[in-house]
Amino acid sequence: MEFIDLQTQYRAMRDPINQAIQAVLDSSRYINGPQVKELETALAAFVGCDHAVGFSSGTDALLAILMAKGIGPGDEVITTPFTFIATAETIALTGAKPLFVDVEPDTLNIDPNRIEAAITPRTKAIMPVSIFGQCADLDAINAIAAAHDLWVLEDACQSFGAANKGRRSCSMTTAAATSFFPAKPLGCYGDGGMAFTRDAELAQQLRVIREHGQIAQYQHAVLGINGRLDSIQAAILLAKLPCFEGEIQARQQVAARYAALLGGKVRIPVIRPENVSVFAQYTIRIAGRDQVRATLAQAGIPTAVHYPIPLHHQAVFAGLGHAREAFPNATLAANEVISLPMHPYLTAEQQEAVAQAVLSAVA
């Protein structure tokens, strides 16, 4: 059994993917090929946002947005300690300080009720993470930001395709960034990412930053990065995009099956009624996780842990001075979460085997 079955997905889309790759090879336009602009246009329309700017990774998209908005030394950006390192890493790379706020105990998204107390005169922005494929409470976060003259950057690296009240992730904040790492709901065959915004000036700044700050050949107006999205990766994503809506629906069916099999027996994901999650992971919570993982491994069932060490426990952020018990919800989640196989091609029989193994392990 595969944790994420990319081979089955590839076989289902083999011809359009191969043709898309071949077209790039035939053109030899490996950098800044027409596929990049075509993908930007398609994904802006998919999200319902005015501007999309392709990047070499979700991490680079986050970093470039922070750079374009002038975040730097002396500034603070509020975010969550329960996320992948890239979220806080990009803040720190600008010279700013990540300011952690604990997560909700059920969704594991940043808790809006705790944000306002963390704001200081140095706070410039809020970076919620739409964790595990479900949008954070962006309406509440936007309202807090507006009241304090801040701006909001959605880290949507796990939630592309998700929705809140009928609005797509990546369309509801000042800016957003997503990732196309192969394991993501919409993944390419390497690294890739995209930034989204309704602000035309910000979008243009992002295009400059991703090209080493270049405004014309060998003319560099600002510091930038080498952040371009490869033409081949854009072509692969364009080939996969027509199937994406169907895959989102399939993910709902897989999640509903898991809920029917496991609900009331173990702690399953809590999805807010106004949200549609893309279930980048299907993450349950179990005390004694290591023994459960070992039991599942013996049954040939792969699992993963996202994320076993909250960011305020990471050595790289020791200088922030947080006590280990500072964010109890994040810490407890880090000790309990376990992600089960999750992808659109998971069969009912496979899910029944997973559920049986989980329930026998916790019995």
Side-chain angles (χ1 to χ4, degrees):
M1 186 183 303
E2 298 292 334
F3 185 72
I4 297 173
D5 195 348
L6 296 179
Q7 275 297 316
T8 296
Q9 183 193 56
Y10 170 66
R11 287 193 293 270
M13 308 180 194
R14 184 196 307 266
D15 288 346
I17 289 173
N18 287 355
Q19 291 165 12
I21 293 172
Q22 190 62 53
V24 177
L25 297 177
D26 289 341
S27 74
S28 298
R29 293 187 63 182
Y30 305 119
I31 304 294
N32 291 335
Q35 295 85 357
V36 175
K37 180 59 179 174
E38 185 180 348
L39 181 69
E40 291 172 341
T41 300
L43 295 192
F46 178 89
V47 164
C49 195
D50 296 331
H51 306 282
V53 182
F55 277 90
S56 50
S57 68
T59 303
D60 282 343
L62 288 170
L63 177 61
I65 293 167
L66 292 167
M67 293 170 66
K69 292 291 287 183
I71 298 298
D75 295 336
E76 296 171 345
V77 177
I78 291 174
T79 193
T80 163
F82 187 71
T83 180
F84 184 57
I85 187 69
T87 306
E89 176 185 51
T90 54
I91 297 168
L93 284 171
T94 68
K97 178 182 178 181
L99 203 62
F100 295 130
V101 168
D102 208 357
V103 297
E104 297 174 325
D106 50 3
T107 69
L108 303 183
N109 275 317
I110 192 169
D111 188 343
N113 295 317
R114 300 173 184 265
I115 290 175
E116 206 153 22
I119 295 172
T120 80
R122 295 181 295 278
T123 306
K124 295 295 189 294
I126 307 169
M127 191 194 297
V129 178
S130 293
I131 200 78
F132 297 156
Q134 176 175 207
C135 290
D137 189 349
L138 298 175
D139 284 346
I141 293 167
N142 283 334
I144 294 166
H148 293 271
D149 195 25
L150 309 176
W151 60 278
V152 181
L153 165 54
E154 182 193 9
D155 180 339
C157 289
Q158 299 181 27
S159 61
F160 187 78
N164 167 267
K165 301 175 185 176
R167 304 164 298 175
R168 294 280 194 189
S169 176
C170 299
S171 73
M172 293 175 272
T173 54
T174 308
T178 198
S179 168
F180 303 123
F181 183 78
K184 302 295 183 178
L186 179 64
C188 57
Y189 290 167
D191 278 313
M194 190 77 66
F196 297 88
T197 184
R198 298 185 186 281
D199 184 334
E201 183 178 348
L202 175 58
Q204 181 55 31
Q205 288 176 293
L206 292 171
R207 296 185 185 100
V208 170
I209 286 171
R210 75 174 173 185
E211 296 268 0
H212 299 283
Q214 181 173 265
I215 56 173
Q217 190 170 29
Y218 298 119
Q219 296 180 40
H220 304 270
V222 297
L223 285 176
I225 60 175
N226 180 8
R228 298 170 301 218
L229 176 64
D230 290 339
S231 302
I232 281 180
Q233 302 302 346
I236 291 165
L237 291 164
L238 282 167
K240 294 175 75 172
L241 186 59
C243 297
F244 187 49
E245 286 279 17
E247 288 193 337
I248 294 173
Q249 292 305 312
R251 286 176 177 273
Q252 307 309 305
Q253 295 168 6
V254 171
R257 272 195 225 115
Y258 269 140
L261 292 164
L262 297 172
K265 304 176 181 73
V266 298
R267 198 169 174 184
I268 63 172
V270 173
I271 307 301
R272 296 276 189 251
E274 67 272 17
N275 282 342
V276 175
S277 175
V278 285
F279 292 100
Q281 292 86 23
Y282 192 88
T283 303
I284 62 175
R285 296 179 64 173
I286 297 175
R289 175 181 63 204
D290 291 346
Q291 181 57 50
V292 173
R293 291 194 76 195
T295 301
L296 267 63
Q298 289 173 357
I301 297 169
T303 59
V305 175
H306 310 88
Y307 301 93
I309 306 174
L311 296 189
H312 67 295
H313 291 184
Q314 296 283 356
V316 68
F317 293 126
L320 297 178
H322 293 299
R324 290 186 67 81
E325 63 274 14
F327 308 108
N329 292 335
T331 299
L332 182 61
N335 290 331
E336 293 182 345
V337 292
I338 175 173
S339 297
L340 304 178
M342 180 65 188
H343 56 82
Y345 304 92
L346 204 60
T347 66
E349 292 75 17
Q350 288 174 318
Q351 287 191 263
E352 288 165 6
V354 172
Q356 183 177 359
V358 169
L359 295 177
S360 65
V362 300

Coordinates of all heavy atoms in Angstrom, one line a residue, residues 67-99:
M67 N 9.5 39.5 1.4 CA 10.5 40.5 0.9 C 9.8 41.6 0.1 O 10.1 42.8 0.3 CB 11.4 39.8 -0.1 CG 12.4 38.8 0.6 SD 13.3 37.8 -0.6 CE 14.4 39.0 -1.3
A68 N 8.8 41.3 -0.7 CA 8.1 42.3 -1.5 C 7.3 43.3 -0.6 O 7.2 44.5 -0.9 CB 7.1 41.7 -2.5
K69 N 6.9 42.8 0.6 CA 6.1 43.6 1.5 C 7.0 44.4 2.5 O 6.6 45.0 3.4 CB 5.1 42.8 2.3 CG 4.0 42.2 1.4 CD 3.0 43.3 0.9 CE 2.1 43.9 2.1 NZ 1.2 44.9 1.6
G70 N 8.3 44.2 2.3 CA 9.3 45.0 3.1 C 9.5 44.5 4.5 O 10.1 45.2 5.4
I71 N 9.2 43.2 4.8 CA 9.5 42.6 6.1 C 11.0 42.5 6.3 O 11.7 42.0 5.4 CB 8.8 41.3 6.2 CG1 7.2 41.4 6.1 CG2 9.1 40.6 7.6 CD1 6.6 42.3 7.2
G72 N 11.5 42.9 7.4 CA 12.9 42.8 7.7 C 13.3 42.9 9.1 O 12.4 42.8 10.0
P73 N 14.5 43.2 9.4 CA 15.0 43.2 10.8 C 14.2 44.2 11.6 O 13.8 45.3 11.2 CB 16.5 43.7 10.7 CG 16.9 43.2 9.3 CD 15.6 43.4 8.5
G74 N 13.9 43.8 12.9 CA 13.0 44.6 13.8 C 11.6 44.3 13.7 O 10.8 44.8 14.5
D75 N 11.1 43.6 12.6 CA 9.7 43.4 12.4 C 9.3 42.0 13.1 O 10.2 41.2 13.3 CB 9.4 43.3 10.9 CG 9.5 44.6 10.2 OD1 9.5 45.7 10.9 OD2 9.7 44.6 9.0
E76 N 8.1 41.8 13.3 CA 7.5 40.6 13.8 C 6.4 40.1 12.9 O 5.6 40.9 12.4 CB 7.0 40.7 15.2 CG 8.0 41.1 16.2 CD 7.4 41.4 17.6 OE1 6.2 41.6 17.6 OE2 8.1 41.5 18.6
V77 N 6.3 38.8 12.7 CA 5.2 38.2 11.9 C 4.6 37.1 12.8 O 5.4 36.2 13.2 CB 5.7 37.6 10.6 CG1 4.5 37.0 9.8 CG2 6.3 38.7 9.7
I78 N 3.3 37.2 13.1 CA 2.7 36.2 13.9 C 2.4 34.9 13.1 O 1.8 35.0 11.9 CB 1.4 36.8 14.5 CG1 1.7 37.8 15.5 CG2 0.5 35.7 15.1 CD1 0.5 38.6 16.0
T79 N 2.7 33.8 13.6 CA 2.4 32.5 12.9 C 2.2 31.4 14.0 O 2.1 31.7 15.2 CB 3.5 32.2 11.9 OG1 3.0 31.1 11.0 CG2 4.8 31.8 12.5
T80 N 2.1 30.2 13.5 CA 1.8 29.0 14.4 C 3.1 28.2 14.6 O 3.9 28.1 13.7 CB 0.7 28.2 13.7 OG1 0.8 26.9 14.3 CG2 1.0 28.0 12.2
P81 N 3.2 27.6 15.7 CA 4.4 26.7 16.0 C 4.1 25.3 15.5 O 5.0 24.5 15.5 CB 4.5 26.7 17.5 CG 3.2 26.9 18.0 CD 2.5 27.8 17.0
F82 N 2.9 25.0 15.0 CA 2.6 23.6 14.6 C 2.5 23.7 13.0 O 1.4 23.8 12.5 CB 1.3 23.1 15.2 CG 1.0 21.7 14.9 CD1 1.8 20.6 15.4 CD2 0.0 21.3 14.0 CE1 1.6 19.3 15.1 CE2 -0.2 20.0 13.7 CZ 0.6 19.0 14.2
T83 N 3.6 23.5 12.4 CA 3.7 23.6 10.9 C 5.1 23.1 10.5 O 5.9 22.9 11.3 CB 3.4 25.1 10.4 OG1 3.5 25.1 9.0 CG2 4.5 26.0 11.0
F84 N 5.3 23.0 9.2 CA 6.6 22.7 8.6 C 7.5 23.9 8.9 O 7.1 25.1 8.9 CB 6.5 22.4 7.2 CG 7.7 22.0 6.5 CD1 8.5 20.9 7.0 CD2 8.2 22.7 5.4 CE1 9.6 20.5 6.4 CE2 9.4 22.3 4.8 CZ 10.1 21.2 5.3
I85 N 8.8 23.7 9.0 CA 9.8 24.7 9.3 C 9.8 25.9 8.3 O 10.0 27.0 8.7 CB 11.2 24.1 9.3 CG1 12.3 25.0 9.8 CG2 11.6 23.5 7.9 CD1 12.2 25.4 11.2
A86 N 9.4 25.6 7.1 CA 9.4 26.7 6.1 C 8.6 27.9 6.5 O 9.0 29.1 6.1 CB 8.9 26.2 4.7
T87 N 7.5 27.7 7.2 CA 6.7 28.9 7.5 C 7.5 29.9 8.3 O 7.5 31.1 8.0 CB 5.5 28.4 8.4 OG1 4.8 27.3 7.6 CG2 4.5 29.5 8.7
A88 N 8.0 29.5 9.4 CA 8.8 30.4 10.3 C 10.2 30.7 9.7 O 10.8 31.7 9.9 CB 8.9 29.8 11.7
E89 N 10.7 29.7 9.0 CA 12.1 29.9 8.4 C 12.1 31.1 7.4 O 13.0 31.9 7.5 CB 12.4 28.6 7.6 CG 13.7 28.6 6.8 CD 13.8 27.4 6.0 OE1 12.8 27.0 5.2 OE2 14.9 26.7 6.1
T90 N 11.0 31.3 6.6 CA 11.0 32.4 5.7 C 11.0 33.7 6.4 O 11.6 34.7 6.0 CB 9.9 32.3 4.7 OG1 8.6 32.1 5.4 CG2 10.1 31.1 3.8
I91 N 10.2 33.8 7.5 CA 10.2 35.0 8.3 C 11.6 35.3 8.8 O 12.1 36.4 8.7 CB 9.2 34.8 9.5 CG1 7.8 34.6 9.0 CG2 9.3 36.0 10.4 CD1 6.8 34.1 10.0
A92 N 12.2 34.3 9.4 CA 13.6 34.5 10.0 C 14.6 34.9 8.9 O 15.5 35.7 9.2 CB 14.0 33.3 10.7
L93 N 14.4 34.3 7.7 CA 15.4 34.6 6.6 C 15.3 36.1 6.2 O 16.3 36.6 5.7 CB 15.1 33.8 5.4 CG 15.6 32.3 5.5 CD1 15.1 31.5 4.4 CD2 17.2 32.3 5.6
T94 N 14.2 36.8 6.4 CA 14.2 38.2 6.1 C 14.8 39.1 7.2 O 15.0 40.3 7.1 CB 12.7 38.7 6.0 OG1 12.1 38.6 7.3 CG2 12.0 37.9 5.0
G95 N 15.2 38.4 8.4 CA 15.7 39.1 9.5 C 14.6 39.5 10.5 O 14.9 40.0 11.6
A96 N 13.4 39.2 10.2 CA 12.3 39.4 11.1 C 12.2 38.3 12.2 O 12.8 37.3 12.1 CB 11.0 39.6 10.4
K97 N 11.3 38.5 13.1 CA 11.1 37.5 14.2 C 9.8 36.8 14.1 O 8.7 37.4 14.0 CB 11.1 38.3 15.6 CG 10.9 37.4 16.8 CD 10.9 38.2 18.0 CE 10.6 37.4 19.3 NZ 10.5 38.2 20.5
P98 N 9.8 35.5 14.0 CA 8.5 34.7 14.1 C 7.9 34.9 15.5 O 8.6 34.6 16.5 CB 8.9 33.3 13.8 CG 10.3 33.3 13.4 CD 10.9 34.6 13.9
L99 N 6.6 35.2 15.6 CA 6.0 35.3 16.8 C 4.9 34.3 16.9 O 3.9 34.4 16.2 CB 5.4 36.7 16.9 CG 5.1 37.3 18.3 CD1 6.3 37.5 19.1 CD2 4.4 38.7 18.1

